[in-house]
Amino acid sequence: MARCKLEIDNPKFLDSIGGDQADKSLLQGLKELQAKLAKDHRLSTFVNHPMKGHPDLQNRIWKWDFAPEGDTSSTRKGWRIFAYVENPKAEEPIPATPFYFYEKPGPSGNPVPHIAEALKRFLRRTIQVRADDRFKRQYDGDKIISICYECFDTTISTDMQEIEIHESTHECS
Ligand SMILES: [Zn+2]
C-alpha cells in the first residue's frame, strides 16, 4: 500500500475546473478517486508518466483515469487527471497536486509537451502568491534541483555552493 493525498481542494485546481460551476459528476468522480488513492495510489490505472526531456519532472508526474462510480453512460469515457508530486519519497500519504485533466481520449500525439506546459502555467499561477522566493529547490537523493520561478530555467547539481552561485548570478533568458 502506498497512500497518496490528492489535493483536489487546491484553490488553483478548483478554479481550473470551473469553481462553483464545475461539472457535478466530475467532482463526484474526483472525490471517489481521492478516496481510493488515500488507500493506495496505484488503484485506478495509475501511471507514473515518463517525462522525456524533463529530468526535473521524472517520477513527479502521476496520472490516473477515473469516472464516477455507477456512471453507466456509454458516451462518457471518464477523465484522465495529472498530478504534480513534488517529493515522490515523501512520507505517506504522499501529497499530489492535480494540475491538468481532460475528458478521454484527450489530445492525440505526444502528451509530454502538453503536460509540461500545463504544469508551467499552473506553477506560474501558484507562484504569484510567494513571489519573494525567486528559486524553488527540490532534492532528489544527493542532487539539488534549482528552478527559476520566472523563466523555469533548471539547474541540477550535487554541490550546494554551485547552486548558490548559479542562483545569485542567474539572469532570466
Ligand atoms: Zn530565470
Side-chain angles (χ1 to χ4, degrees):
M1 299 301 233
R3 291 173 303 120
C4 161
K5 183 175 184 284
L6 187 64
E7 294 173 336
I8 59 176
D9 297 331
N10 179 296
K12 299 286 187 301
F13 176 68
L14 282 179
D15 211 38
S16 76
I17 62 173
D20 293 342
Q21 311 298 313
D23 182 330
K24 292 282 173 291
S25 71
L26 172 66
L27 285 174
Q28 192 199 333
L30 279 169
K31 287 209 173 100
E32 289 169 7
L33 177 67
Q34 186 187 45
K36 266 189 204 172
L37 305 183
K39 290 181 202 137
D40 189 337
H41 79 257
R42 287 159 304 204
L43 292 172
S44 192
T45 57
F46 165 71
V47 174
N48 181 352
H49 199 90
M51 294 295 287
K52 199 159 185 276
H54 297 269
D56 53 313
L57 295 179
Q58 285 320 323
N59 305 321
R60 293 202 164 89
I61 304 298
W62 293 4
K63 80 172 180 199
W64 299 273
D65 289 348
F66 68 101
E69 210 74 54
D71 187 343
T72 52
S73 158
S74 55
T75 51
R76 167 100 66 207
K77 292 192 174 61
W79 295 275
R80 178 161 293 165
I81 191 162
F82 294 81
Y84 175 59
V85 178
E86 186 169 335
N87 180 5
K89 291 179 188 129
E91 202 174 309
E92 294 178 23
I94 300 165
T97 308
F99 64 92
Y100 178 50
F101 81 102
Y102 52 72
E103 194 158 352
K104 291 194 289 178
S108 57
N110 180 7
V112 169
H114 294 292
I115 298 168
E117 189 51 42
L119 180 61
K120 211 182 205 182
R121 264 184 275 127
F122 185 84
L123 291 178
R124 202 179 275 149
R125 274 183 293 156
T126 312
I127 298 156
Q128 289 164 358
V129 188
R130 36 176 184 171
D132 50 319
D133 296 341
R134 237 189 110 200
F135 295 88
K136 176 180 181 58
R137 286 182 191 168
Q138 292 178 340
Y139 301 90
D140 183 4
D142 57 353
K143 275 185 292 196
I144 307 152
I145 302 159
S146 164
I147 304 164
C148 171
Y149 275 136
E150 283 292 315
C151 69
F152 293 91
D153 178 64
T154 301
T155 301
I156 304 177
S157 173
T158 52
D159 182 352
M160 180 55 91
Q161 210 180 346
E162 203 174 295
I163 292 286
E164 282 170 357
I165 291 168
H166 166 78
E167 289 180 354
S168 61
T169 55
H170 172 74
E171 278 176 30
C172 293
S173 45

